[in-house]
Amino acid sequence: MTRGTGVRIVGMRVLPVSLVLLTAVLAGCNESQEGPIAPSTELAQSASCSYSDDAAARVRTVTAACGNGRVVVPKGWSLKFERSAERFHSGSVSAALSSTVSAAGTIFPSPDASYLSATSKIDIESFPDASTHSSVSAGSQTISFSIPLEKRQVPDSWGSWSSPPDAESSTPPVLFSQYVNSLTLSLSRPTVILGFELEPNNFDLFTFTVDFFSGSQLVGSITRTVDGAAGAQLFAVRTSGLLIDRAVVATDGDAGGFAIAQLRYSDQMGWVSRTSLPSARRSLAAATASGLLYAIGGATAAGTALKTVQVYNPGTNTWTTKAPLPAARPFGNGATHISGTIYLPGGQDAGNVLTRTLYAYRISTNTWSAKANMPVFSGCGGSGVIGGKLYVYSGCTRTATGPQTAAALLHRYNPATNTWTTLRGAPSVHVQPAVTVVAGKLYVAGGNTGGSVVTNRVDVYNPATNSWSTAAALPTPRVAAAGGVIGGKLYVVGGRNGATYYGALEIYDPLTNAWTSAAALPMVRGGLAVGVISGSMYAIGGRNAATPALANNERLTP
């Protein structure tokens, strides 16, 4: 790559199809020679990239296979680009001179005020020129590349770049891919908006497609024909459902590589309302599987126990109804997913009496079955999966004929053998705590101590040693909160203390053994359930002092 020539071609635009040559005016050239000069080493590497000189007219003509950073011209000379007739007149390219776009989300055709105000830019200006980078970062966002990219500066080595309003800047720093025509960008933090400007290296017409994904699901796609001699175009999508965590760039021909610039993402944080539960309920269970959120059981505003099972699809923002539970189950121990089956341990029956049942829902057949009963009557707790086994913490229990009492029991279920094992109980009682697995350990946070006193204690079970330890206390003592895990951290949200309901969101980092606070729920509530999908947490149902059963569904983008 020849660099440092100071060559920049300005004012480039696509001319009518009948014109094979595009003329560009050169400015700011540092080359001292007045006559023809030898081609650069880069130029000589490819037989398809060649040039011819008209010394009298002071015009150098290069073939379309030449590209940005590969062209050197004498001072005072002009430059022409000779189109590739095959590509220029091919049906796919000539039909796509204007942009074509399609996506499930919203397309930004240009970097207008709405796009710029809604996004943050990852600034690469300070990177040393010609330095290579496998990732770039800004704030809490890191974007990693499937191949290392080289930082270049447009005025130093590029023939053209679009100008406003087609591009954010006519002279941006760029990340350059030489001779590699595909790229995957992976985000450390899912985002609502992702975008960048893109231009092929070769001076010809190339059709690029950028697909935007959430996990394995395609959430948006843009296809545009970009002219390497005329300037970059924007590829940017805003999603309305699933969040973007990956983008894939591909081209239909050998563009000689390409460059991207003005990488932008949405740093929108906090809660947004999504489609409400079809039926309001409290004290329900939730599980996630294959990108879907399952809302299971619970109770109505009147306290009637429910068999209802409904499934939320974040991609379509819609709910569907699935096969009901064999029997109504509120106030249980949450729900978990293991290898295509969702497990619902314990809970109360329609008469508000604790049970020992373990119900299993096979996703592929939409059917429920009963598995081996729990060793004890169990509820008021939570569950999690460690090493393919189900761990159930019971915050309350009873004898066969006795009343419900507070408990601190722990049991493990093995799906392979359909058997239960009794494990060491917790050192403290937690009735209706938030129970979550973080890094292979079971966290039991908050709840009450068996009476009217709430606790902020956090006990942690280590299955490797069958032992418990104590972590830093919850900043806000509460009962009937819910917990989830995002990025290796424990998120505890909602809950109550007596008749006071909370929207508080507090985040525990096991690496520092410390809590931080984040954006609170828009609707204060306890007795809710949460599920985490693609790095976002969904809080569903619950109750508060004003409403005995809620249908709210709110999504947190952390």
Side-chain angles (χ1 to χ4, degrees), residues 256-280:
F258 55 85
I260 60 175
Q262 319 293 2
L263 261 170
R264 285 186 168 274
Y265 67 97
S266 168
D267 56 5
Q268 172 187 354
M269 299 178 65
W271 297 89
V272 294
S273 294
R274 309 301 291 157
T275 300
S276 297
L277 275 162
S279 54

Side-chain angles (χ1 to χ4, degrees), residues 387-518:
K389 297 181 175 62
L390 172 64
Y391 288 74
V392 181
Y393 173 85
S394 303
C396 59
T397 190
R398 68 176 178 89
T399 62
T401 58
Q404 180 173 301
T405 59
L409 305 175
L410 184 65
H411 296 86
R412 181 180 65 215
Y413 174 75
N414 187 341
T417 59
N418 192 31
T419 57
W420 288 91
T421 302
T422 299
L423 303 174
R424 179 173 296 177
S428 179
V429 169
H430 299 263
V431 179
Q432 295 187 61
V435 179
T436 313
V437 172
V438 183
K441 296 179 181 179
L442 189 76
Y443 284 71
V444 181
N448 67 44
T449 59
S452 59
V453 179
V454 299
T455 180
N456 62 355
R457 180 173 175 135
V458 179
D459 288 314
V460 184
Y461 177 75
N462 185 344
T465 58
N466 189 30
S467 62
W468 291 84
S469 59
T470 302
L474 264 170
T476 305
R478 42 190 154 153
V479 64
V485 177
I486 303 175
K489 297 179 181 180
L490 168 61
Y491 285 60
V492 175
V493 64
R496 64 179 177 85
N497 187 346
T500 301
Y501 286 81
Y502 299 116
L505 171 62
E506 291 164 343
I507 305 170
Y508 174 77
D509 186 343
L511 298 179
T512 60
N513 189 33
W515 292 85
T516 56
S517 295

Side-chain angles (χ1 to χ4, degrees), residues 19 23 25-26 38 124 133 144 174 202 243 272 274 307 351 361-362 453 468 472 477 514:
L19 297 181
T23 302
V25 178
L26 299 181
I124 63 171
H133 303 271
S144 301
V174 300
N202 283 347
L243 299 179
V272 294
R274 309 301 291 157
K307 299 180 182 179
Y361 174 76
R362 190 64 183 169
V453 179
W468 291 84

